Amino acid sequence: MSNQTIESLEQRVKELETQIEDYQKQLIHAQKMSSVGALASSITHEFNNILTTVINYAKLGLRHKEEERREKAFNKILSAGQRAAKITTGMLSYARGSDSRQEPVDLVVLVKSVIALVEKDLSMNRVNLHTHFEAQPEVSLNPNQIQQVLVNLIVNARQAMPTGGRLDLAVRLNAEANMAEVIVRDSGAGIPSEQLHHIFDQFYTTKEADENGQGGTGLGLSLAKEVMEAHHGRIRVESAVGKGTAFTLKFPLSTAAIEAA
């Protein structure tokens, strides 16, 4: 084989690698848009509620001259505005570019930013959210990518509980292994054992798309696995039919967190 042929093959390999990277970015973006679509209705509903609160209490403040009532109205308006800012900040963070840079992040703070996006959606679908923050570990990660993984897991959990249920979000520290963990546990139908071994396979899905076209692509969990591996972490699943499903994200602690332990 001539040197020219070898060089041509090497160039072609580089071109294919670039195409694969581009397709991967497109898949990640498509999955993110799917998650945003699943939350759009509830977020719009929440903003309508916030605007109604602001308008009604603004009218109350203008109508009443008593200092106590006016102060109550202003406090309600301030609280509603802060709630809107919290949701907007979460959405802007979630919509950031998908670069691969990692930085030290407080896992509890990150989980709370995700909760701001999903709690109205869970409430509208009769899912009771319970949080368990046993520790506040610091991990080096890409916040946007891990937010996307968590949003996808939570939307999956909600879809597994079509008549409502319970969702537990936990953050804990495994000091002996120098790992931090985030657990997403639902009380849904569970996954049959014969399907459990395939759920991280690309394009494998256990559900069909809903009436809004959300879900059923088979991309979310395979991308979640890739993201976790890129963070030198792992994603684990436990499930039993009729008893629900739990996903555990395991992250190596940051150097600073290990030294402080």
Side-chain angles (χ1 to χ4, degrees):
M1 187 177 293
S2 67
N3 290 336
Q4 185 176 359
T5 301
I6 293 174
E7 290 177 359
S8 178
L9 287 173
E10 289 177 344
Q11 179 62 33
R12 182 55 180 159
V13 168
K14 290 180 181 179
E15 291 175 356
L16 289 172
E17 288 176 343
T18 300
Q19 288 180 8
I20 290 171
E21 289 179 3
D22 289 341
Y23 289 143
Q24 185 74 355
K25 290 178 181 178
Q26 291 175 27
L27 285 174
I28 291 173
H29 182 71
Q31 179 58 39
K32 179 184 290 187
M33 291 302 99
S34 177
S35 298
V36 169
L39 298 174
S41 175
S42 62
I43 290 175
T44 301
H45 188 272
E46 179 76 332
F47 267 102
N48 281 338
N49 288 343
I50 289 170
L51 286 173
T52 299
T53 298
V54 170
I55 291 169
N56 287 342
Y57 277 100
K59 290 178 179 177
L60 182 68
L62 290 171
R63 187 165 61 246
H64 294 283
K65 304 303 180 182
E66 299 92 336
E67 188 66 27
E68 184 178 348
R69 288 197 175 187
R70 290 172 70 96
E71 184 174 350
K72 178 183 177 182
F74 288 141
N75 284 333
K76 290 290 186 179
I77 292 171
L78 176 60
S79 177
Q82 290 172 334
R83 170 65 181 153
K86 188 177 179 183
I87 296 172
T88 303
T89 299
M91 285 300 295
L92 288 173
S93 174
Y94 190 64
R96 284 188 310 181
S98 56
D99 61 70
S100 58
R101 288 178 296 177
Q102 298 183 13
E103 59 191 63
V105 173
D106 184 319
L107 265 185
V108 170
V109 172
L110 184 137
V111 170
K112 286 182 177 179
S113 73
V114 171
I115 290 173
L117 296 178
V118 302
E119 59 184 344
K120 186 61 180 181
D121 181 69
L122 296 175
S123 175
M124 288 177 63
N125 286 278
R126 303 177 301 282
V127 175
N128 295 316
L129 175 64
H130 299 263
T131 57
H132 314 271
F133 300 140
E134 302 172 13
Q136 205 156 351
E138 182 181 89
V139 174
S140 182
L141 52 76
N142 180 295
N144 181 255
Q145 291 178 355
I146 301 304
Q147 279 181 324
Q148 184 172 348
V149 169
L150 287 172
V151 168
N152 184 66
L153 290 177
I154 292 169
V155 170
N156 283 352
R158 187 261 287 166
Q159 292 173 340
M161 300 180 284
T163 59
R166 172 175 174 140
L167 179 70
D168 289 87
L169 292 179
V171 176
R172 65 190 184 194
L173 173 67
N174 185 342
E176 292 183 0
N178 288 328
M179 301 287 284
E181 299 176 349
V182 179
I183 301 94
V184 180
R185 183 185 304 275
D186 67 61
S187 63
I191 304 170
S193 57
E194 64 271 16
Q195 296 181 347
L196 206 57
H197 301 293
H198 299 288
I199 62 172
F200 295 110
D201 296 346
Q202 199 167 64
F203 301 114
Y204 182 86
T205 180
T206 61
K207 60 179 183 285
E208 296 180 0
D210 61 22
E211 64 274 12
N212 298 316
Q214 304 301 329
T217 63
L219 290 174
L221 291 178
S222 63
L223 290 174
K225 182 181 179 183
E226 290 185 20
V227 168
M228 291 305 298
E229 289 175 349
H231 284 79
H232 305 290
R234 300 187 299 276
I235 180 170
R236 295 290 182 264
V237 60
E238 297 176 20
S239 188
V241 174
K243 296 184 178 180
T245 302
F247 285 92
T248 301
L249 307 179
K250 299 175 179 283
F251 302 89
L253 291 175
S254 67
T255 303
I258 293 173
E259 292 174 349

